[in-house]
Amino acid sequence: MASMIMASSKPVISIAASSSFFSKPKLKQIPQLSLPKLPSPKFLKTQQIPSLSSTTLKSISLFTVTTLSFAPPSLAAEIEKAALFDFNLTLPIMMVQFLFLMFALDKVYFTPLGKFMDERDAAIKEKLASVKDTSEEVKQLEEQAAAIMRAARAEIAAALNKMKKETQLEVEEKLAEGRKKVEVELQEALANLENQKEETIKSLDSQIAALSQDIVKKVLPL
Amino acid sequence: MNGISNALNGLYDISGVEVGQHFYWQIAGFQVHAQVLITSWVVIAILLGSAVIAVRNPQTIPTAGQNFFEYVLEFIRDVSKTQIGEEYGPWVPFIGTMFLFIFVSNWSGALLPWKIIQLPRGELAAPTNDINTTVALALLTSVAYFYAGLSKKGLGYFSKYIQPTPILLPINILEDFTKPLSLSFRLFGNILADELVVVVLVSLVPSVVPIPVMFLGLFKNGIQALIFATLAAAYIGESMEGHH
């Protein structure tokens, strides 16, 4: 390989050498002959480029062609061996191999796995769609549940009101009864008190007479 | 001095790549490049074997290997869909095989230790290192896009040659030659140049310095496979699309 690179670089070096060999005298000639009055370096440089491209390139190319065609025998053998653009039966064989690989890969890879992936995609999409449907169902069920709860709450509230009214009535009745009882007992107690008062007053009257006689006896010494 | 040059020559022989040297087989009187065929068989075996193992029993929740192959398939489908359009389905095997074959070929040239196997002449390298392979693939691409156009539009396909004006007829005809030419030479030149650059660097500086170039080569190899497949798909899509 290294020898190859060295060998291939040989003509390149000779081209470079030849170009310098051919271009040097012309470069010297042009500023001297055609433009002696304008020695500015910028203009000289611009003038050099067309002179190189127009005339010397042809001679360079001619020279390279001759050097390549009259290459030393060892170099020629190397170039002959290095068959980069060597078309032969390999080309159609590679075509057939590629087509075989295409059909085989299609059979074992592209078609089955692609089909499998598509089916899985479809299944996942279906499942997702069905999940959306159940969400609607869930909404309906939630609404139903809410309605049932509302009805139950209303029922309970009604029952509670009824119970409250009933209990209130009962309580009021019992209260009225209790008041009546208390009043009756109070009146009885008042009547008793009156009686006792009259009795005590009567007894006191009799005692008063005795007491006053005693007081009179004690005060008025007989 | 002589000893040193001998040692250097020995180093060159070890690291050397033999450009344009082929190991010939004779088949029915014709010559073939055996090294290209051998490496392409290995590449085909790798592709088919890994595909069979990974896709043999597809799971709903993919295993690691199946996941990788699904990713590759989706990538190929994506490339074909962007280039060809909605009718990309039948072209997935062609584009996919093109991409996978070139990609595995390129990387096999960089990663597989082919040099362990000695050949009498020439050496084993990436199959895409040989002009026969790349021209074969490019010609198949040409056939594919002609087939795509003709099967879609019939003989009306040829009306694209005088569009937008009949003046462009020569250029349109020329395109049919430049397309396979550019496809094949781009791939061939890139892979060959990559191997040459690595070999030259290795022979000059045997350690460390060639490593970044090798990584660059790996990157470039992948890009080349993608470019080839994408362009093939673009050509097919171009010949299938309706003209105005």
Side-chain angles (χ1 to χ4, degrees):
Chain A
M1 174 56 208
S3 62
M4 263 299 301
I5 291 165
M6 297 296 278
S8 61
S9 68
K10 266 178 192 169
V12 174
I13 290 162
S14 68
I15 290 165
S18 71
S19 68
S20 64
F21 174 73
F22 270 86
S23 56
K24 265 182 184 172
K26 292 218 169 186
L27 288 180
K28 278 179 185 171
Q29 276 173 4
I30 287 161
Q32 283 174 356
L33 287 177
S34 60
L35 296 160
K37 285 174 186 174
L38 290 165
S40 70
K42 271 190 179 177
F43 192 77
L44 278 182
K45 271 181 186 170
T46 51
Q47 194 62 24
Q48 279 168 7
I49 296 160
S51 74
L52 255 178
S53 61
S54 58
T55 49
T56 49
L57 272 183
K58 280 180 190 171
S59 53
I60 290 167
S61 58
L62 263 177
F63 187 80
T64 51
V65 165
T66 50
T67 46
L68 282 178
S69 54
F70 296 111
S74 63
L75 187 63
E78 286 283 344
I79 287 169
E80 200 180 35
K81 260 197 257 171
L84 276 182
F85 300 101
D86 183 24
F87 292 103
N88 53 22
L89 195 66
T90 317
L91 198 154
I93 289 177
M94 285 305 297
M95 275 182 164
V96 172
Q97 281 185 358
F98 179 84
L99 290 177
F100 160 74
L101 180 67
M102 188 172 91
F103 283 110
L105 273 185
D106 190 30
K107 281 276 171 300
V108 303
Y109 176 26
F110 295 121
T111 304
L113 193 63
K115 206 174 150 193
F116 180 78
M117 282 162 68
D118 289 344
E119 277 169 5
R120 189 175 50 192
D121 275 6
I124 288 171
K125 268 179 194 161
E126 218 171 84
K127 264 185 194 170
L128 276 175
S130 69
V131 164
K132 270 179 197 163
D133 287 354
T134 51
S135 76
E136 275 175 21
E137 243 175 72
V138 165
K139 260 187 195 172
Q140 281 182 357
L141 283 176
E142 271 176 357
E143 277 171 17
Q144 278 183 12
I148 288 170
M149 286 290 283
R150 251 178 278 140
R153 273 199 194 120
E155 235 175 76
I156 288 168
L160 258 174
N161 279 342
K162 209 179 162 189
M163 287 275 280
K164 266 184 192 167
K165 276 177 191 168
E166 277 174 12
T167 44
Q168 230 166 358
L169 278 176
E170 264 177 43
V171 167
E172 274 169 16
E173 267 176 30
K174 274 186 184 172
L175 263 175
E177 265 178 38
R179 264 180 208 152
K180 272 178 192 169
K181 254 189 196 173
V182 169
E183 269 173 33
V184 168
E185 271 172 23
L186 200 75
Q187 277 170 359
E188 268 177 23
L190 281 174
N192 278 346
L193 265 176
E194 284 289 322
N195 284 341
Q196 278 179 3
K197 206 176 155 186
E198 280 170 17
E199 270 173 30
T200 45
I201 288 172
K202 275 177 191 170
S203 62
L204 274 176
D205 280 347
S206 60
Q207 277 178 4
I208 284 169
L211 270 174
S212 56
Q213 276 179 355
D214 281 350
I215 292 168
V216 169
K217 277 176 185 172
K218 277 185 182 171
V219 173
L220 299 176
L222 294 171
Chain B
M1 187 63 202
N2 210 0
I4 292 168
S5 72
N6 276 342
L8 277 179
N9 277 335
L11 267 178
Y12 287 149
D13 287 342
I14 291 166
S15 66
V17 100
E18 285 148 24
V19 180
Q21 309 247 336
H22 301 297
F23 176 42
Y24 288 104
W25 278 348
Q26 298 278 340
I27 294 177
F30 294 103
Q31 287 189 322
V32 295
H33 294 163
Q35 85 275 16
V36 179
L37 292 185
I38 292 168
T39 48
S40 71
W41 294 338
V42 173
V43 167
I44 289 171
I46 290 171
L47 277 174
L48 283 180
S50 57
V52 166
I53 289 169
V55 192
R56 180 186 44 201
N57 184 20
Q59 306 289 317
T60 311
I61 297 165
T63 55
Q66 189 196 337
N67 198 9
F68 178 72
F69 273 78
E70 282 184 15
Y71 166 70
V72 172
L73 181 55
E74 278 185 357
F75 174 73
I76 292 163
R77 279 180 163 184
D78 191 42
V79 166
S80 342
K81 198 175 178 180
T82 8
Q83 300 299 332
I84 298 177
E86 282 307 312
E87 296 172 45
Y88 71 98
W91 293 102
V92 166
F94 182 77
I95 307 295
T97 313
M98 202 55 104
F99 174 74
L100 288 176
F101 181 70
I102 295 172
F103 186 81
V104 176
S105 292
N106 292 351
W107 273 37
S108 81
L111 295 179
L112 291 185
W114 293 117
K115 305 239 160 56
I116 290 172
I117 303 161
Q118 291 279 330
L119 292 180
R121 200 153 171 269
E123 61 176 15
L124 296 173
T128 39
N129 195 0
D130 192 279
I131 190 79
N132 286 291
T133 313
T134 60
V135 169
L137 298 180
L139 286 180
L140 280 174
T141 306
S142 291
V143 172
Y145 79 72
F146 266 101
Y147 170 76
L150 287 174
S151 66
K152 178 93 185 289
K153 301 184 203 157
L155 287 176
Y157 168 68
F158 291 107
S159 68
K160 74 152 191 180
Y161 284 103
I162 52 165
Q163 277 178 352
T165 72
I167 301 165
L168 290 179
L169 176 68
I171 290 172
N172 282 334
I173 292 174
L174 205 62
E175 263 198 344
D176 283 332
F177 294 96
T178 55
K179 276 173 183 171
L181 203 68
S182 63
L183 271 185
S184 56
F185 274 67
R186 180 184 306 115
L187 184 56
F188 170 65
N190 268 295
I191 304 309
L192 189 69
D194 178 45
E195 292 195 357
L196 281 181
V197 164
V198 169
V199 162
V200 167
L201 271 182
V202 165
S203 68
L204 291 176
V205 197
S207 68
V208 181
V209 177
I211 291 172
V213 180
M214 288 174 180
F215 276 109
L216 179 70
L218 277 185
F219 174 69
K220 205 176 67 183
N221 289 346
I223 292 290
Q224 284 306 318
L226 179 62
I227 285 176
F228 201 109
T230 310
L231 279 179
Y235 293 157
I236 291 167
E238 192 183 307
S239 66
M240 277 169 78
E241 77 182 359
H243 46 257
H244 328 291

